[in-house]
Amino acid sequence: MSWRATILTLFPDMFPGPLGLSLAGRALREGRWAIEALDIRSFATDRHRTVDDTPFGGGAGMVMRPDVLDLACEAATSRNPGAPLVYLTPRGRRLDQALVRDLAAGPGVTVLCGRYEGVDQRVIEARQMVEVSAGDFVLSGGEPAALLMLDACIRLLPGVMGAAASAEEESHGAEGLLEYPHYTRPAEWQGRKVPEVLLSGHHAEVARWRRAEAEAATRTRRPDLWERYQTRAGAEPKQAKAGRLDGHPAAA
Ligand code: SAM
């Protein structure tokens, strides 16, 4: 059975959207993953198909009703049993590659996309939703965040990416480093030359240069990742550390 994404949204036409193109689109057509977008409004029980109401306690905006969302969640989880139910919200834990890897390794994911001011807290708790944020900013709805999260998961599914090694070596891969910079032809462009070592054909030197660049980028751009990387490297047994770093200890 393929990896399955079930989306609860007020805008089902947004899916698969960009995920129907390129790498994810080809994988979708090949049956490596499947997607179904359910319209939350179809679970409303009144004549006007109401999905939201004013917030208790007052304040601006509207809140999505727990009773309607619960019916939608019931339908979604029965279609996607075993898949975690993720509510995308700026209040959630920040999406990162570790969570993406976990989701990609499972049977799929059910995703609730909020709108308005968000979702009644009781249904989040009753359905034991995993609250996930796309980042420290506020979107107008959960749909763009869902597309982003799904894209990150889909490229990790078996057979989706070409080179098996690329997911390990890229940014936020197994090592926890940002990736080294890339260059292609022409070897000189607008007076800017490609680093000499990349033209040398010396694989070990290239690997050494890339490692140093990855470490420098991580140290200067993401001190938080750098600290974690150093802690991990320091915590590993000496022999393993020497092997993994290929004789090039992390710069202090
Ligand atoms: N009132 C909410 C708050 O301050 O946390 C923001 C509501 S936002 C306008 C509407 C919906 O967009 C949210 O319910 C959520 O589903 C989605 N959303 C907004 N920002 C998001 C983010 N950074 N990550 C994931 N989902 C987000």
Side-chain angles (χ1 to χ4, degrees), residues 52-108:
D52 58 325
D53 212 325
T54 52
F56 281 123
M62 302 294 274
V63 177
M64 296 179 85
R65 291 174 57 118
D67 50 350
V68 176
L69 288 178
D70 191 53
L71 290 172
C73 288
E74 186 60 39
T77 50
S78 69
R79 284 162 147 90
N80 207 356
L85 173 54
V86 168
Y87 169 45
L88 290 164
T89 165
R91 300 182 70 226
R93 67 162 278 193
R94 227 174 323 162
L95 182 66
D96 60 16
Q97 195 65 12
L99 179 55
V100 165
R101 272 195 291 267
D102 280 357
L103 290 173

Short mmCIF file of all heavy atoms in Angstrom, two decimals, residues 52-108:
data_model
loop_
_atom_site.label_atom_id
_atom_site.label_comp_id
_atom_site.label_asym_id
_atom_site.label_seq_id
_atom_site.Cartn_x
_atom_site.Cartn_y
_atom_site.Cartn_z
N ASP A 52 -17.73 27.41 11.43
CA ASP A 52 -17.05 28.26 12.40
C ASP A 52 -18.06 29.02 13.24
O ASP A 52 -19.25 29.06 12.90
CB ASP A 52 -16.13 29.25 11.68
CG ASP A 52 -16.92 30.11 10.68
OD1 ASP A 52 -17.87 29.60 10.07
OD2 ASP A 52 -16.58 31.30 10.53
N ASP A 53 -17.57 29.60 14.33
CA ASP A 53 -18.44 30.42 15.18
C ASP A 53 -17.57 31.42 15.93
O ASP A 53 -16.33 31.30 15.90
CB ASP A 53 -19.22 29.51 16.14
CG ASP A 53 -20.60 30.09 16.45
OD1 ASP A 53 -20.71 31.34 16.52
OD2 ASP A 53 -21.55 29.31 16.60
N THR A 54 -18.23 32.36 16.62
CA THR A 54 -17.48 33.40 17.33
C THR A 54 -16.76 32.81 18.55
O THR A 54 -17.23 31.83 19.14
CB THR A 54 -18.43 34.52 17.79
OG1 THR A 54 -19.50 33.90 18.51
CG2 THR A 54 -18.99 35.28 16.60
N PRO A 55 -15.64 33.39 18.93
CA PRO A 55 -14.89 32.83 20.08
C PRO A 55 -15.55 33.16 21.42
O PRO A 55 -15.96 34.30 21.64
CB PRO A 55 -13.52 33.52 19.97
CG PRO A 55 -13.75 34.75 19.16
CD PRO A 55 -14.94 34.52 18.30
N PHE A 56 -15.64 32.16 22.28
CA PHE A 56 -16.07 32.43 23.66
C PHE A 56 -15.03 33.37 24.28
O PHE A 56 -13.82 33.20 24.05
CB PHE A 56 -16.12 31.13 24.47
CG PHE A 56 -17.37 30.33 24.21
CD1 PHE A 56 -17.30 29.01 23.77
CD2 PHE A 56 -18.63 30.89 24.43
CE1 PHE A 56 -18.45 28.26 23.54
CE2 PHE A 56 -19.79 30.14 24.20
CZ PHE A 56 -19.70 28.83 23.75
N GLY A 57 -15.49 34.31 25.06
CA GLY A 57 -14.57 35.26 25.69
C GLY A 57 -14.38 36.50 24.85
O GLY A 57 -13.66 37.42 25.25
N GLY A 58 -14.93 36.49 23.66
CA GLY A 58 -14.85 37.66 22.78
C GLY A 58 -13.55 37.69 21.99
O GLY A 58 -12.75 36.77 22.04
N GLY A 59 -13.39 38.76 21.25
CA GLY A 59 -12.18 38.91 20.44
C GLY A 59 -12.48 38.81 18.97
O GLY A 59 -13.59 38.45 18.56
N ALA A 60 -11.44 39.11 18.19
CA ALA A 60 -11.61 39.16 16.74
C ALA A 60 -11.67 37.78 16.13
O ALA A 60 -11.18 36.81 16.71
CB ALA A 60 -10.44 39.94 16.13
N GLY A 61 -12.29 37.69 14.95
CA GLY A 61 -12.22 36.47 14.14
C GLY A 61 -13.18 35.38 14.58
O GLY A 61 -13.97 35.53 15.50
N MET A 62 -13.05 34.25 13.88
CA MET A 62 -13.92 33.11 14.11
C MET A 62 -13.07 31.89 14.45
O MET A 62 -11.87 31.85 14.15
CB MET A 62 -14.73 32.81 12.83
CG MET A 62 -15.59 33.98 12.36
SD MET A 62 -16.91 34.37 13.52
CE MET A 62 -18.19 33.24 12.97
N VAL A 63 -13.73 30.88 15.04
CA VAL A 63 -13.03 29.67 15.45
C VAL A 63 -13.73 28.47 14.80
O VAL A 63 -14.96 28.43 14.74
CB VAL A 63 -13.04 29.53 16.99
CG1 VAL A 63 -12.38 28.23 17.43
CG2 VAL A 63 -12.35 30.72 17.64
N MET A 64 -12.95 27.50 14.35
CA MET A 64 -13.56 26.31 13.71
C MET A 64 -14.19 25.42 14.78
O MET A 64 -13.57 25.12 15.81
CB MET A 64 -12.49 25.57 12.90
CG MET A 64 -11.98 26.42 11.74
SD MET A 64 -10.70 25.62 10.76
CE MET A 64 -11.72 24.67 9.62
N ARG A 65 -15.39 24.98 14.50
CA ARG A 65 -16.21 24.27 15.49
C ARG A 65 -15.70 22.84 15.74
O ARG A 65 -15.37 22.12 14.79
CB ARG A 65 -17.65 24.18 15.01
CG ARG A 65 -18.39 25.50 14.97
CD ARG A 65 -19.74 25.29 14.34
NE ARG A 65 -20.50 24.27 15.06
CZ ARG A 65 -21.67 24.50 15.68
NH1 ARG A 65 -22.20 25.70 15.67
NH2 ARG A 65 -22.31 23.52 16.29
N PRO A 66 -15.70 22.42 17.02
CA PRO A 66 -15.19 21.08 17.33
C PRO A 66 -16.08 19.96 16.82
O PRO A 66 -15.58 18.89 16.43
CB PRO A 66 -15.12 21.07 18.87
CG PRO A 66 -16.12 22.09 19.31
CD PRO A 66 -16.13 23.14 18.24
N ASP A 67 -17.41 20.17 16.84
CA ASP A 67 -18.31 19.09 16.44
C ASP A 67 -18.16 18.76 14.95
O ASP A 67 -18.09 17.59 14.56
CB ASP A 67 -19.78 19.44 16.79
CG ASP A 67 -20.19 20.83 16.30
OD1 ASP A 67 -19.31 21.60 15.86
OD2 ASP A 67 -21.40 21.14 16.35
N VAL A 68 -18.04 19.81 14.13
CA VAL A 68 -17.88 19.59 12.69
C VAL A 68 -16.52 18.95 12.42
O VAL A 68 -16.41 17.97 11.66
CB VAL A 68 -17.99 20.94 11.92
CG1 VAL A 68 -17.74 20.73 10.44
CG2 VAL A 68 -19.35 21.58 12.17
N LEU A 69 -15.49 19.47 13.08
CA LEU A 69 -14.14 18.92 12.85
C LEU A 69 -14.03 17.48 13.34
O LEU A 69 -13.32 16.66 12.73
CB LEU A 69 -13.09 19.79 13.56
CG LEU A 69 -12.85 21.15 12.91
CD1 LEU A 69 -11.84 21.95 13.72
CD2 LEU A 69 -12.37 21.00 11.47
N ASP A 70 -14.75 17.16 14.40
CA ASP A 70 -14.68 15.78 14.90
C ASP A 70 -15.25 14.80 13.88
O ASP A 70 -14.68 13.72 13.66
CB ASP A 70 -15.44 15.68 16.23
CG ASP A 70 -15.16 14.36 16.91
OD1 ASP A 70 -13.97 14.04 17.10
OD2 ASP A 70 -16.13 13.63 17.22
N LEU A 71 -16.33 15.18 13.25
CA LEU A 71 -16.91 14.31 12.20
C LEU A 71 -15.93 14.16 11.03
O LEU A 71 -15.76 13.07 10.48
CB LEU A 71 -18.23 14.90 11.69
CG LEU A 71 -19.41 14.86 12.67
CD1 LEU A 71 -20.59 15.66 12.11
CD2 LEU A 71 -19.83 13.42 12.94
N ALA A 72 -15.29 15.28 10.68
CA ALA A 72 -14.32 15.24 9.58
C ALA A 72 -13.13 14.36 9.95
O ALA A 72 -12.65 13.56 9.13
CB ALA A 72 -13.86 16.67 9.26
N CYS A 73 -12.68 14.48 11.20
CA CYS A 73 -11.53 13.67 11.65
C CYS A 73 -11.89 12.18 11.65
O CYS A 73 -11.07 11.33 11.29
CB CYS A 73 -11.10 14.07 13.07
SG CYS A 73 -10.29 15.65 13.13
N GLU A 74 -13.11 11.87 12.05
CA GLU A 74 -13.57 10.48 12.08
C GLU A 74 -13.48 9.88 10.67
O GLU A 74 -12.95 8.78 10.47
CB GLU A 74 -15.01 10.43 12.60
CG GLU A 74 -15.55 9.04 12.80
CD GLU A 74 -14.73 8.24 13.80
OE1 GLU A 74 -14.28 8.81 14.82
OE2 GLU A 74 -14.51 7.04 13.54
N ALA A 75 -14.00 10.63 9.72
CA ALA A 75 -13.98 10.14 8.33
C ALA A 75 -12.55 9.99 7.83
O ALA A 75 -12.19 9.00 7.19
CB ALA A 75 -14.75 11.12 7.43
N ALA A 76 -11.71 10.98 8.17
CA ALA A 76 -10.33 10.96 7.66
C ALA A 76 -9.53 9.81 8.28
O ALA A 76 -8.81 9.10 7.57
CB ALA A 76 -9.65 12.29 7.97
N THR A 77 -9.66 9.62 9.57
CA THR A 77 -8.84 8.58 10.21
C THR A 77 -9.32 7.18 9.81
O THR A 77 -8.51 6.25 9.75
CB THR A 77 -8.81 8.72 11.75
OG1 THR A 77 -10.14 8.84 12.22
CG2 THR A 77 -8.03 9.93 12.20
N SER A 78 -10.60 7.04 9.50
CA SER A 78 -11.05 5.71 9.06
C SER A 78 -10.52 5.41 7.64
O SER A 78 -10.34 4.25 7.28
CB SER A 78 -12.58 5.60 9.10
OG SER A 78 -13.12 6.42 8.11
N ARG A 79 -10.26 6.46 6.86
CA ARG A 79 -9.68 6.25 5.52
C ARG A 79 -8.18 6.03 5.59
O ARG A 79 -7.58 5.53 4.65
CB ARG A 79 -9.92 7.48 4.64
CG ARG A 79 -11.33 7.60 4.13
CD ARG A 79 -11.48 9.04 3.68
NE ARG A 79 -12.36 9.20 2.56
CZ ARG A 79 -13.65 9.40 2.67
NH1 ARG A 79 -14.23 9.38 3.84
NH2 ARG A 79 -14.38 9.60 1.59
N ASN A 80 -7.56 6.52 6.66
CA ASN A 80 -6.11 6.49 6.76
C ASN A 80 -5.71 5.94 8.13
O ASN A 80 -5.06 6.63 8.93
CB ASN A 80 -5.56 7.92 6.57
CG ASN A 80 -4.16 7.94 6.02
OD1 ASN A 80 -3.54 6.89 5.84
ND2 ASN A 80 -3.63 9.13 5.77
N PRO A 81 -6.09 4.68 8.44
CA PRO A 81 -5.85 4.14 9.78
C PRO A 81 -4.35 4.02 10.06
O PRO A 81 -3.59 3.69 9.18
CB PRO A 81 -6.53 2.76 9.75
CG PRO A 81 -6.69 2.42 8.32
CD PRO A 81 -6.70 3.70 7.54
N GLY A 82 -3.99 4.33 11.29
CA GLY A 82 -2.57 4.21 11.68
C GLY A 82 -1.76 5.45 11.38
O GLY A 82 -0.65 5.61 11.88
N ALA A 83 -2.30 6.35 10.58
CA ALA A 83 -1.54 7.57 10.25
C ALA A 83 -1.75 8.60 11.35
O ALA A 83 -2.87 8.75 11.85
CB ALA A 83 -2.02 8.13 8.92
N PRO A 84 -0.70 9.31 11.76
CA PRO A 84 -0.88 10.36 12.77
C PRO A 84 -1.75 11.49 12.24
O PRO A 84 -1.79 11.76 11.04
CB PRO A 84 0.55 10.86 13.04
CG PRO A 84 1.35 10.42 11.87
CD PRO A 84 0.68 9.21 11.29
N LEU A 85 -2.48 12.12 13.16
CA LEU A 85 -3.33 13.26 12.79
C LEU A 85 -2.60 14.54 13.18
O LEU A 85 -2.39 14.82 14.37
CB LEU A 85 -4.68 13.14 13.52
CG LEU A 85 -5.65 14.30 13.39
CD1 LEU A 85 -5.94 14.67 11.95
CD2 LEU A 85 -6.95 13.97 14.13
N VAL A 86 -2.17 15.29 12.17
CA VAL A 86 -1.38 16.51 12.39
C VAL A 86 -2.28 17.73 12.20
O VAL A 86 -2.97 17.84 11.19
CB VAL A 86 -0.20 16.57 11.39
CG1 VAL A 86 0.45 17.95 11.40
CG2 VAL A 86 0.83 15.49 11.71
N TYR A 87 -2.27 18.60 13.20
CA TYR A 87 -2.92 19.90 13.03
C TYR A 87 -1.83 20.94 12.82
O TYR A 87 -0.95 21.10 13.65
CB TYR A 87 -3.77 20.26 14.26
CG TYR A 87 -4.25 21.70 14.26
CD1 TYR A 87 -4.78 22.29 13.11
CD2 TYR A 87 -4.16 22.48 15.41
CE1 TYR A 87 -5.20 23.61 13.10
CE2 TYR A 87 -4.59 23.80 15.42
CZ TYR A 87 -5.10 24.36 14.25
OH TYR A 87 -5.51 25.67 14.25
N LEU A 88 -1.88 21.60 11.67
CA LEU A 88 -0.87 22.61 11.37
C LEU A 88 -1.25 23.93 12.02
O LEU A 88 -2.33 24.45 11.78
CB LEU A 88 -0.73 22.76 9.85
CG LEU A 88 -0.10 21.52 9.22
CD1 LEU A 88 -0.30 21.49 7.72
CD2 LEU A 88 1.38 21.44 9.57
N THR A 89 -0.36 24.42 12.85
CA THR A 89 -0.63 25.64 13.62
C THR A 89 0.67 26.30 14.04
O THR A 89 1.65 25.60 14.35
CB THR A 89 -1.45 25.27 14.90
OG1 THR A 89 -1.41 26.39 15.80
CG2 THR A 89 -0.90 24.05 15.62
N PRO A 90 0.69 27.64 14.06
CA PRO A 90 1.92 28.30 14.53
C PRO A 90 2.22 28.01 16.00
O PRO A 90 3.31 28.30 16.47
CB PRO A 90 1.63 29.80 14.32
CG PRO A 90 0.21 29.92 13.92
CD PRO A 90 -0.31 28.57 13.57
N ARG A 91 1.26 27.40 16.72
CA ARG A 91 1.48 27.06 18.13
C ARG A 91 2.16 25.70 18.29
O ARG A 91 2.45 25.27 19.41
CB ARG A 91 0.14 27.02 18.87
CG ARG A 91 -0.61 28.34 18.85
CD ARG A 91 -1.90 28.23 19.64
NE ARG A 91 -1.65 28.12 21.06
CZ ARG A 91 -2.25 27.25 21.88
NH1 ARG A 91 -3.14 26.40 21.41
NH2 ARG A 91 -1.97 27.23 23.15
N GLY A 92 2.38 25.00 17.19
CA GLY A 92 2.90 23.64 17.28
C GLY A 92 4.42 23.57 17.37
O GLY A 92 5.10 24.60 17.32
N ARG A 93 4.93 22.36 17.49
CA ARG A 93 6.39 22.16 17.43
C ARG A 93 6.85 22.44 16.01
O ARG A 93 6.13 22.13 15.05
CB ARG A 93 6.79 20.75 17.86
CG ARG A 93 6.35 19.65 16.93
CD ARG A 93 7.11 18.37 17.13
NE ARG A 93 8.39 18.37 16.45
CZ ARG A 93 9.15 17.31 16.27
NH1 ARG A 93 8.76 16.15 16.74
NH2 ARG A 93 10.29 17.38 15.65
N ARG A 94 8.00 23.03 15.88
CA ARG A 94 8.43 23.42 14.53
C ARG A 94 8.78 22.20 13.68
O ARG A 94 9.46 21.28 14.15
CB ARG A 94 9.62 24.36 14.62
CG ARG A 94 9.37 25.52 13.70
CD ARG A 94 10.37 26.61 13.75
NE ARG A 94 10.94 26.92 15.03
CZ ARG A 94 12.06 27.62 15.13
NH1 ARG A 94 12.68 28.02 14.06
NH2 ARG A 94 12.55 27.91 16.30
N LEU A 95 8.30 22.19 12.46
CA LEU A 95 8.61 21.11 11.53
C LEU A 95 10.11 21.07 11.27
O LEU A 95 10.71 22.11 11.01
CB LEU A 95 7.87 21.34 10.21
CG LEU A 95 8.06 20.26 9.12
CD1 LEU A 95 7.42 18.96 9.55
CD2 LEU A 95 7.45 20.74 7.81
N ASP A 96 10.69 19.89 11.37
CA ASP A 96 12.11 19.75 11.03
C ASP A 96 12.31 18.41 10.33
O ASP A 96 11.39 17.61 10.20
CB ASP A 96 13.01 19.91 12.26
CG ASP A 96 12.73 18.86 13.33
OD1 ASP A 96 12.07 17.84 13.03
OD2 ASP A 96 13.16 19.05 14.48
N GLN A 97 13.53 18.18 9.90
CA GLN A 97 13.81 17.00 9.09
C GLN A 97 13.61 15.70 9.89
O GLN A 97 13.25 14.69 9.32
CB GLN A 97 15.23 17.09 8.51
CG GLN A 97 15.53 16.13 7.38
CD GLN A 97 14.72 16.38 6.12
OE1 GLN A 97 14.06 17.39 5.98
NE2 GLN A 97 14.76 15.44 5.18
N ALA A 98 13.82 15.76 11.20
CA ALA A 98 13.63 14.56 12.02
C ALA A 98 12.15 14.15 12.00
O ALA A 98 11.82 12.96 11.83
CB ALA A 98 14.09 14.82 13.46
N LEU A 99 11.27 15.13 12.14
CA LEU A 99 9.83 14.83 12.09
C LEU A 99 9.43 14.39 10.69
O LEU A 99 8.63 13.44 10.51
CB LEU A 99 9.03 16.07 12.52
CG LEU A 99 7.51 15.95 12.50
CD1 LEU A 99 7.03 14.76 13.33
CD2 LEU A 99 6.86 17.24 13.01
N VAL A 100 9.98 15.04 9.68
CA VAL A 100 9.70 14.65 8.29
C VAL A 100 10.10 13.19 8.07
O VAL A 100 9.35 12.41 7.47
CB VAL A 100 10.46 15.59 7.32
CG1 VAL A 100 10.49 15.02 5.91
CG2 VAL A 100 9.83 16.97 7.32
N ARG A 101 11.27 12.83 8.56
CA ARG A 101 11.73 11.43 8.39
C ARG A 101 10.78 10.45 9.08
O ARG A 101 10.44 9.41 8.52
CB ARG A 101 13.15 11.26 8.97
CG ARG A 101 14.26 11.57 7.97
CD ARG A 101 15.60 11.05 8.49
NE ARG A 101 16.06 11.81 9.63
CZ ARG A 101 16.87 12.87 9.55
NH1 ARG A 101 17.33 13.27 8.39
NH2 ARG A 101 17.24 13.51 10.63
N ASP A 102 10.33 10.81 10.28
CA ASP A 102 9.39 9.95 11.02
C ASP A 102 8.09 9.78 10.24
O ASP A 102 7.56 8.67 10.10
CB ASP A 102 9.05 10.56 12.38
CG ASP A 102 10.14 10.32 13.40
OD1 ASP A 102 11.12 9.62 13.06
OD2 ASP A 102 10.03 10.84 14.52
N LEU A 103 7.58 10.89 9.74
CA LEU A 103 6.30 10.83 9.00
C LEU A 103 6.47 10.01 7.72
O LEU A 103 5.60 9.20 7.38
CB LEU A 103 5.81 12.24 8.66
CG LEU A 103 5.32 13.09 9.84
CD1 LEU A 103 5.03 14.52 9.37
CD2 LEU A 103 4.08 12.49 10.47
N ALA A 104 7.58 10.22 7.04
CA ALA A 104 7.80 9.51 5.77
C ALA A 104 7.96 8.00 6.00
O ALA A 104 7.63 7.20 5.13
CB ALA A 104 9.03 10.07 5.05
N ALA A 105 8.43 7.63 7.17
CA ALA A 105 8.67 6.21 7.47
C ALA A 105 7.37 5.48 7.85
O ALA A 105 7.33 4.25 7.88
CB ALA A 105 9.69 6.08 8.59
N GLY A 106 6.31 6.25 8.15
CA GLY A 106 5.05 5.64 8.58
C GLY A 106 4.12 5.37 7.40
O GLY A 106 4.54 5.44 6.24
N PRO A 107 2.85 5.06 7.71
CA PRO A 107 1.89 4.73 6.64
C PRO A 107 1.38 5.94 5.88
O PRO A 107 0.75 5.81 4.84
CB PRO A 107 0.75 4.07 7.42
CG PRO A 107 0.82 4.65 8.79
CD PRO A 107 2.27 4.94 9.05
N GLY A 108 1.62 7.14 6.43
CA GLY A 108 1.13 8.37 5.81
C GLY A 108 0.77 9.36 6.89
O GLY A 108 1.22 9.24 8.03
#
